[in-house]
Amino acid sequence: EVRLVESGGGLVQPGGSLRLSCVTSGIYFSSSYMGWFRQAPGKGLEWVANIRFDGSESYYVDSVRGRFTISRDNPQNTLFLQMNSLRAEDTAVYYCARYVRGGLQYFDFWGQGTLVNVSS
Amino acid sequence: DIQLTQSPSFLSASVGDRVTITCRASQGITKFVAWYQQLPGKAPKALIYAASTLQSGVPSRFSGSGSGTEFTLTITSLQPEDFATYYCQQLESYPLTFGQGTRLDIK
Protein backbone atom coordinates (compact mmCIF):
# COMPACT_ATOMS: atom_id res chain seq x y z
CA GLU A 1 0.00 0.00 0.00
CA VAL A 2 1.29 3.45 -0.93
CA ARG A 3 1.27 6.06 1.82
CA LEU A 4 2.45 9.65 1.91
CA VAL A 5 2.02 11.29 5.30
CA GLU A 6 2.70 14.98 5.82
CA SER A 7 3.41 16.57 9.18
CA GLY A 8 4.89 19.73 10.64
CA GLY A 9 2.10 22.17 9.96
CA GLY A 10 0.69 24.52 12.55
CA LEU A 11 0.23 28.10 13.62
CA VAL A 12 3.19 30.42 13.05
CA GLN A 13 3.62 34.17 13.19
CA PRO A 14 4.44 36.20 10.09
CA GLY A 15 8.18 36.12 9.51
CA GLY A 16 8.50 32.75 11.21
CA SER A 17 9.64 29.37 9.94
CA LEU A 18 8.26 25.84 9.66
CA ARG A 19 9.64 22.59 8.32
CA LEU A 20 7.19 20.20 6.73
CA SER A 21 7.93 16.49 6.37
CA CYS A 22 6.40 13.88 4.08
CA VAL A 23 7.15 10.29 5.05
CA THR A 24 6.53 7.82 2.25
CA SER A 25 6.07 4.09 2.04
CA GLY A 26 5.14 1.70 -0.73
CA ILE A 27 6.97 3.65 -3.46
CA TYR A 28 10.54 3.55 -4.73
CA PHE A 29 11.25 6.88 -3.09
CA SER A 30 14.91 7.12 -4.03
CA SER A 31 14.03 6.90 -7.74
CA SER A 32 10.99 9.19 -7.56
CA TYR A 33 10.72 12.87 -8.36
CA MET A 34 8.59 14.54 -5.71
CA GLY A 35 6.66 17.75 -5.31
CA TRP A 36 4.85 20.01 -2.88
CA PHE A 37 1.54 21.72 -3.51
CA ARG A 38 -0.68 24.00 -1.48
CA GLN A 39 -4.30 25.06 -1.34
CA ALA A 40 -5.34 28.23 0.45
CA PRO A 41 -8.72 28.07 2.25
CA GLY A 42 -11.51 27.99 -0.32
CA LYS A 43 -9.06 28.39 -3.21
CA GLY A 44 -7.59 26.24 -5.96
CA LEU A 45 -4.47 24.13 -6.16
CA GLU A 46 -1.02 25.67 -6.52
CA TRP A 47 2.21 23.86 -7.29
CA VAL A 48 4.99 24.97 -4.93
CA ALA A 49 8.18 23.01 -5.67
CA ASN A 50 9.63 19.87 -7.25
CA ILE A 51 12.83 17.95 -6.59
CA ARG A 52 14.73 15.47 -8.70
CA PHE A 53 15.05 11.92 -7.37
CA ASP A 54 18.66 12.47 -6.24
CA GLY A 55 18.09 15.98 -4.91
CA SER A 56 20.43 17.53 -7.48
CA GLU A 57 17.81 19.81 -9.03
CA SER A 58 14.84 21.67 -7.63
CA TYR A 59 12.23 24.02 -9.03
CA TYR A 60 10.01 26.60 -7.33
CA VAL A 61 7.05 28.83 -8.02
CA ASP A 62 8.19 32.46 -8.04
CA SER A 63 6.22 33.41 -4.93
CA VAL A 64 8.28 31.10 -2.68
CA ARG A 65 11.68 31.10 -4.38
CA GLY A 66 14.34 32.28 -1.94
CA ARG A 67 12.09 31.62 1.08
CA PHE A 68 11.24 27.90 0.74
CA THR A 69 13.65 25.00 0.23
CA ILE A 70 12.65 21.52 -0.88
CA SER A 71 14.95 18.66 0.12
CA ARG A 72 14.89 14.93 0.68
CA ASP A 73 16.44 12.13 2.72
CA ASN A 74 16.37 9.08 0.50
CA PRO A 75 17.48 6.52 3.11
CA GLN A 76 14.59 7.71 5.31
CA ASN A 77 12.09 7.90 2.40
CA THR A 78 11.25 11.43 3.49
CA LEU A 79 10.62 14.69 1.65
CA PHE A 80 10.95 18.09 3.34
CA LEU A 81 9.85 21.66 2.77
CA GLN A 82 11.68 24.29 4.82
CA MET A 83 9.58 27.44 4.89
CA ASN A 84 11.18 30.70 6.06
CA SER A 85 9.97 34.30 6.16
CA LEU A 86 6.39 33.09 6.18
CA ARG A 87 3.62 35.45 5.12
CA ALA A 88 -0.12 35.46 5.68
CA GLU A 89 -0.59 34.47 2.04
CA ASP A 90 1.33 31.22 2.68
CA THR A 91 -1.60 30.01 4.80
CA ALA A 92 -2.80 26.81 3.15
CA VAL A 93 -3.04 23.05 3.30
CA TYR A 94 0.25 21.69 1.98
CA TYR A 95 0.33 18.39 0.09
CA CYS A 96 3.24 16.25 -1.02
CA ALA A 97 2.94 14.07 -4.10
CA ARG A 98 4.99 11.76 -6.31
CA TYR A 99 5.79 13.07 -9.78
CA VAL A 100 5.68 10.46 -12.52
CA ARG A 101 7.91 11.35 -15.45
CA GLY A 102 9.23 9.33 -18.37
CA GLY A 103 6.86 10.77 -20.94
CA LEU A 104 3.82 10.58 -18.66
CA GLN A 105 4.14 13.65 -16.47
CA TYR A 106 1.61 13.71 -13.68
CA PHE A 107 1.34 13.34 -9.91
CA ASP A 108 -0.05 9.94 -9.05
CA PHE A 109 0.09 9.58 -5.27
CA TRP A 110 -0.77 12.36 -2.83
CA GLY A 111 -0.64 12.78 0.93
CA GLN A 112 -3.61 13.90 3.00
CA GLY A 113 -2.16 17.37 3.63
CA THR A 114 -0.99 19.43 6.60
CA LEU A 115 -2.38 22.85 7.47
CA VAL A 116 -0.06 25.85 7.79
CA ASN A 117 -1.63 28.94 9.37
CA VAL A 118 0.44 32.12 9.28
CA SER A 119 -1.15 34.60 11.63
CA SER A 120 -0.29 36.94 14.49
CA ASP B 1 4.25 30.96 -17.64
CA ILE B 2 1.45 28.90 -19.16
CA GLN B 3 -1.94 30.09 -17.91
CA LEU B 4 -4.85 27.62 -17.86
CA THR B 5 -8.47 28.71 -17.96
CA GLN B 6 -11.19 26.21 -17.19
CA SER B 7 -14.79 26.56 -18.25
CA PRO B 8 -17.26 26.51 -16.80
CA SER B 9 -16.19 27.38 -13.24
CA PHE B 10 -19.45 25.94 -11.91
CA LEU B 11 -21.59 23.20 -13.38
CA SER B 12 -24.88 21.80 -12.16
CA ALA B 13 -25.90 18.39 -13.49
CA SER B 14 -27.96 15.33 -12.66
CA VAL B 15 -27.03 11.70 -12.11
CA GLY B 16 -26.82 10.05 -15.52
CA ASP B 17 -25.90 13.24 -17.39
CA ARG B 18 -22.88 13.69 -19.64
CA VAL B 19 -20.69 16.70 -18.86
CA THR B 20 -17.65 18.26 -20.49
CA ILE B 21 -15.11 20.58 -18.89
CA THR B 22 -12.76 22.59 -21.06
CA CYS B 23 -9.22 23.73 -20.22
CA ARG B 24 -7.66 26.37 -22.46
CA ALA B 25 -3.95 27.12 -22.35
CA SER B 26 -2.30 30.47 -23.03
CA GLN B 27 0.23 28.75 -25.28
CA GLY B 28 0.51 25.42 -27.02
CA ILE B 29 1.07 22.23 -25.02
CA THR B 30 2.28 19.03 -26.64
CA LYS B 31 0.37 16.53 -24.51
CA PHE B 32 1.34 17.03 -20.87
CA VAL B 33 -2.01 17.89 -19.38
CA ALA B 34 -3.42 16.03 -16.39
CA TRP B 35 -6.86 16.13 -14.79
CA TYR B 36 -7.56 15.70 -11.07
CA GLN B 37 -10.69 15.23 -8.99
CA GLN B 38 -10.90 16.70 -5.51
CA LEU B 39 -13.61 15.88 -3.02
CA PRO B 40 -14.18 18.37 -0.15
CA GLY B 41 -11.49 18.07 2.50
CA LYS B 42 -9.57 15.45 0.53
CA ALA B 43 -6.38 15.33 -1.49
CA PRO B 44 -6.55 15.53 -5.28
CA LYS B 45 -6.86 12.27 -7.18
CA ALA B 46 -5.35 11.77 -10.63
CA LEU B 47 -7.88 10.88 -13.32
CA ILE B 48 -6.19 11.49 -16.67
CA TYR B 49 -2.59 12.10 -17.74
CA ALA B 50 -0.90 12.88 -21.03
CA ALA B 51 -4.18 14.51 -22.06
CA SER B 52 -6.05 11.27 -22.73
CA THR B 53 -4.64 8.35 -20.74
CA LEU B 54 -6.89 7.02 -18.00
CA GLN B 55 -5.17 6.52 -14.65
CA SER B 56 -5.30 2.96 -13.38
CA GLY B 57 -8.43 2.27 -11.36
CA VAL B 58 -10.39 5.25 -12.69
CA PRO B 59 -13.79 4.33 -14.19
CA SER B 60 -14.05 4.37 -17.97
CA ARG B 61 -16.84 6.98 -17.87
CA PHE B 62 -14.00 9.51 -17.51
CA SER B 63 -12.14 10.47 -20.67
CA GLY B 64 -9.78 13.19 -21.79
CA SER B 65 -8.89 14.65 -25.14
CA GLY B 66 -7.27 17.62 -26.79
CA SER B 67 -4.03 19.07 -28.00
CA GLY B 68 -2.43 22.44 -28.54
CA THR B 69 -4.35 24.97 -26.48
CA GLU B 70 -7.67 23.21 -25.83
CA PHE B 71 -8.21 20.13 -23.70
CA THR B 72 -11.39 18.53 -22.40
CA LEU B 73 -12.48 16.21 -19.63
CA THR B 74 -15.72 14.35 -20.29
CA ILE B 75 -17.72 12.35 -17.80
CA THR B 76 -20.45 10.19 -19.24
CA SER B 77 -23.33 8.94 -17.11
CA LEU B 78 -22.56 10.93 -13.94
CA GLN B 79 -22.59 8.99 -10.71
CA PRO B 80 -23.25 10.41 -7.21
CA GLU B 81 -19.56 10.07 -6.28
CA ASP B 82 -18.53 12.26 -9.26
CA PHE B 83 -19.83 15.48 -7.74
CA ALA B 84 -16.57 17.19 -6.86
CA THR B 85 -14.16 19.86 -8.07
CA TYR B 86 -12.02 19.13 -11.12
CA TYR B 87 -8.69 20.70 -12.04
CA CYS B 88 -6.55 20.59 -15.13
CA GLN B 89 -2.78 20.92 -14.78
CA GLN B 90 -0.07 21.54 -17.35
CA LEU B 91 3.26 19.75 -16.93
CA GLU B 92 4.79 21.05 -20.14
CA SER B 93 7.04 23.58 -18.46
CA TYR B 94 7.84 25.17 -15.13
CA PRO B 95 6.15 26.67 -13.26
CA LEU B 96 3.59 23.88 -13.28
CA THR B 97 0.17 25.48 -13.28
CA PHE B 98 -3.47 24.56 -12.67
CA GLY B 99 -6.73 25.81 -13.99
CA GLN B 100 -8.91 27.57 -11.45
CA GLY B 101 -11.12 24.51 -11.01
CA THR B 102 -14.64 23.46 -12.01
CA ARG B 103 -17.07 22.69 -9.25
CA LEU B 104 -19.61 20.07 -10.30
CA ASP B 105 -22.78 20.12 -8.20
CA ILE B 106 -25.88 18.00 -8.14
CA LYS B 107 -28.88 19.66 -9.80
Side-chain angles (χ1 to χ4, degrees), chain B residues 7-8 10-22 35 61-64 72-79 82-84 86 102-107:
Chain B
S7 60
F10 299 95
L11 183 55
S12 184
S14 300
V15 172
D17 284 354
R18 172 191 173 106
V19 298
T20 297
I21 300 168
T22 299
W35 289 92
R61 63 181 178 274
F62 291 90
S63 64
T72 60
L73 172 71
T74 298
I75 314 171
T76 59
S77 189
L78 277 170
Q79 299 300 301
D82 299 337
F83 293 94
Y86 293 86
T102 295
R103 178 173 165 177
L104 175 56
D105 284 345
I106 299 176
K107 184 182 290 183

Side-chain angles (χ1 to χ4, degrees), chain A residues 39 50 95 103 105-107 111, chain B residues 32 36 38 43 55 87 91 94:
Chain A
Q39 187 168 36
N50 267 13
Y95 298 99
Q105 316 292 90
Y106 72 114
F107 290 85
Chain B
F32 296 128
Y36 301 88
Q38 188 177 34
Q55 167 71 335
Y87 295 92
L91 303 103
Y94 288 108

Side-chain angles (χ1 to χ4, degrees), chain B residues 14-74:
Chain B
S14 300
V15 172
D17 284 354
R18 172 191 173 106
V19 298
T20 297
I21 300 168
T22 299
C23 178
R24 290 187 172 86
S26 60
Q27 56 188 273
I29 297 173
T30 53
K31 66 173 183 177
F32 296 128
V33 169
W35 289 92
Y36 301 88
Q37 176 193 66
Q38 188 177 34
L39 296 168
K42 300 296 186 182
K45 171 187 173 183
L47 300 174
I48 300 286
Y49 60 91
S52 61
T53 304
L54 193 66
Q55 167 71 335
S56 175
V58 174
S60 59
R61 63 181 178 274
F62 291 90
S63 64
S65 65
S67 64
T69 60
E70 185 163 316
F71 297 84
T72 60
L73 172 71
T74 298

Side-chain angles (χ1 to χ4, degrees), chain A residues 47-107:
Chain A
W47 168 77
V48 173
N50 267 13
I51 188 167
R52 183 182 156 98
F53 64 91
D54 59 359
S56 63
E57 293 179 6
S58 55
Y59 307 87
Y60 299 90
V61 68
D62 283 351
S63 59
V64 309
R65 187 176 293 112
R67 299 188 299 124
F68 290 11
T69 302
I70 188 171
S71 63
R72 61 193 300 156
D73 182 340
N74 282 352
Q76 296 298 319
N77 297 317
T78 303
L79 178 72
F80 301 102
L81 185 67
Q82 177 66 44
M83 303 186 296
N84 299 331
S85 303
L86 282 161
R87 306 166 180 168
E89 55 265 34
D90 296 318
T91 294
V93 174
Y94 284 73
Y95 298 99
C96 63
R98 184 177 77 163
Y99 186 25
V100 179
R101 289 170 47 86
L104 302 180
Q105 316 292 90
Y106 72 114
F107 290 85

